Amino acid sequence: ACQACDEPCHCPVPAKLADETKHPALILDRKGCLPLHLGALVGSPSVVGLLVTAMLDLDCSIQDVLQADGNGESVLDIALRRKDLLSGQRIAERLGLGAAALDKFAAETARDSLLGLEVGSKVCVKEPFLHSDGIQKLEVNMQGVVESFSHDQVRLKFDVSTQPCSLTVLNFSQHCVSYKQYILNADHWFSRTKMSYPKMRFWLQKDPAGRLPELTPGLHPECTGAELEEFAVVRGYEERDGWLRVEEGKYLPLSFLVEGARQCFVLTPWTGPGQVFPGSVVRVLQEGVLPQRGPRGWTKVTLTVGRTGIVRQFMADDVVKIEFEKSSSKTPMRVPGSFFRTNIEVTKFKAMQ
């Protein structure tokens, strides 16, 4: 019988945990998951940090903390799969895994900093950095723009320097913040929470400890100004700690903690135009080709000039789903925000939902 639930199962229980499963932090569920695994699955960095500390206080070893769940994943594996850098940092720091382990984890998640990034995007230095050539030094609050970028490198041009500076994606995510456009994505919020979109206003300050705000009824007392409209577009510097700095002294959280544990995003990157809503009728202005995934794999679909469609849903990855007329597929097409901006216009009409 399982020493965690006293029922027949095959959950691997380390010897250290076998004698202490009475403590809530050490109880395995029927799928072989510790509370720590569940905290990482719902995306709660604060809960993950508290549970790691609790297990260490119970004299658990690093191997005990990093044991695999019933699916063969450790808590670090789960955080990596979810691209949850904050949880990964808390785990590595509390376990004393060292800078190398943290950098390896951060490198895997740093590519998220490229989402919504464009050539010409403004950037600001948030942490000082000395380039490997020993000459170029980035000072805090230096302003620049993105000249080009790839999956592993970002090339920047700063106002105070005549020479461009190339950074790895990891260094870029750690030392720079980019000026991006976000949308108040009520579609994504509802798909994750099945709750109405929270009332959003600008915050006068973000949490100094980097904690995410918890979802509460009504408006937070730290907020100011008029309530923001669902699917409104906002712009600011993404500070890579869960907050968007909209303008000096004002912030917006990218996500909330729901029920005290689950992290759910209220803002998602969007490079398309503003004033677009579910139900908006759109028309193709410039012909283009988009890859789409169908029953038989990936195919290329050509959108011809004049073709009309209806915006159905905003996704979390700078993509909107559009149902075009005379489509051979019943599935709406996935259209990236950048393609939308250059090839599609929003008409004054709106379809009934």
Side-chain angles (χ1 to χ4, degrees):
C2 177
Q3 299 184 52
C5 58
D6 292 325
E7 293 190 11
C9 73
H10 302 284
C11 300
V13 181
K16 179 63 186 176
L17 299 185
D19 298 330
E20 299 187 35
T21 50
K22 291 183 180 180
H23 191 282
L26 305 180
I27 296 177
L28 292 163
D29 67 9
R30 298 190 181 191
K31 294 183 179 180
C33 293
L34 290 167
L36 179 59
H37 295 122
L38 301 178
L41 282 169
V42 299
S44 176
S46 58
V47 170
V48 167
L50 288 172
L51 288 171
V52 172
T53 300
M55 292 182 70
L56 293 176
D57 288 344
L58 292 167
D59 295 328
C60 291
S61 67
I62 293 178
Q63 289 72 25
D64 292 337
V65 176
L66 296 180
Q67 68 166 295
D69 63 9
N71 294 321
E73 290 186 310
S74 72
V75 64
L76 270 178
D77 294 330
I78 295 170
L80 179 59
R81 173 166 57 80
R82 289 180 48 83
K83 300 179 181 179
D84 187 351
L85 180 57
L86 289 177
S87 290
Q89 288 175 329
R90 282 169 168 76
I91 297 166
E93 289 167 358
R94 283 164 172 74
L95 295 182
L97 298 181
L102 187 56
D103 285 349
K104 181 179 179 181
F105 182 89
E108 296 294 333
T109 59
R111 291 189 178 88
D112 281 359
S113 63
L114 301 181
L115 192 60
L117 194 68
E118 297 181 284
V119 173
S121 292
K122 295 188 293 184
V123 296
C124 179
V125 178
K126 67 172 181 178
E127 297 286 347
F129 176 71
L130 182 63
H131 200 269
S132 57
D133 59 13
I135 301 175
Q136 286 184 303
K137 185 177 182 181
L138 304 184
E139 303 285 357
V140 175
N141 293 327
M142 282 178 61
Q143 305 283 329
V145 296
V146 176
E147 281 201 341
S148 62
F149 64 94
S150 63
H151 71 282
D152 58 358
Q153 193 172 67
V154 181
R155 185 179 175 88
L156 307 172
K157 176 67 173 66
F158 288 97
D159 299 340
V160 297
S161 175
T162 58
Q163 297 295 324
C165 176
S166 294
L167 300 177
T168 65
V169 171
L170 175 58
N171 285 333
F172 174 75
S173 68
Q174 292 177 332
H175 297 274
C176 298
V177 290
S178 55
Y179 193 82
K180 292 183 180 179
Q181 178 173 282
Y182 280 77
I183 190 168
L184 277 68
N185 196 336
D187 280 343
H188 179 66
W189 172 266
F190 183 78
S191 69
R192 290 292 309 278
T193 67
K194 299 300 183 286
M195 294 189 295
S196 58
Y197 196 72
K199 296 180 179 181
M200 294 284 288
R201 292 191 300 176
F202 293 119
W203 290 58
L204 294 175
Q205 62 180 9
K206 62 179 181 178
D207 188 281
R211 293 186 295 262
L212 296 174
E214 291 194 23
L215 183 66
T216 59
L219 294 165
H220 286 261
E222 301 89 344
C223 297
T224 183
E227 184 178 340
L228 300 175
E229 184 182 11
E230 293 180 12
F231 303 103
V233 168
V234 292
R235 299 173 182 85
Y237 285 103
E238 180 194 357
E239 303 223 318
R240 298 294 293 165
D241 59 359
W243 292 83
L244 183 73
R245 175 158 54 90
V246 181
E247 54 185 80
E248 199 62 38
K250 292 183 181 179
Y251 297 86
L252 281 173
L254 298 181
S255 58
F256 282 100
L257 288 179
V258 178
E259 300 170 347
R262 191 155 50 104
Q263 180 184 5
C264 297
F265 285 90
V266 283
L267 271 66
T268 58
W270 174 243
T271 56
Q275 297 298 309
V276 186
F277 307 92
S280 293
V281 177
V282 298
R283 180 170 52 239
V284 178
L285 283 180
Q286 180 177 327
E287 184 173 305
V289 178
L290 286 175
Q292 298 293 313
R293 189 169 187 172
R296 299 182 179 180
W298 288 94
T299 58
K300 292 183 178 180
V301 178
T302 300
L303 290 177
T304 54
V305 175
R307 194 170 175 184
T308 59
I310 300 171
V311 173
R312 289 304 186 192
Q313 183 181 11
F314 283 89
M315 310 302 289
D317 51 353
D318 191 25
V319 166
V320 64
K321 286 187 174 182
I322 301 178
E323 181 181 345
F324 284 100
E325 62 171 347
K326 300 177 182 178
S327 175
S328 58
S329 173
K330 296 182 180 180
T331 304
M333 286 187 64
R334 290 174 54 89
V335 179
S338 56
F339 183 95
F340 194 119
R341 188 183 67 248
T342 57
N343 295 67
I344 297 175
E345 70 169 346
V346 182
T347 71
K348 63 180 181 181
F349 303 104
K350 189 172 182 179
M352 297 292 291
Q353 294 291 299

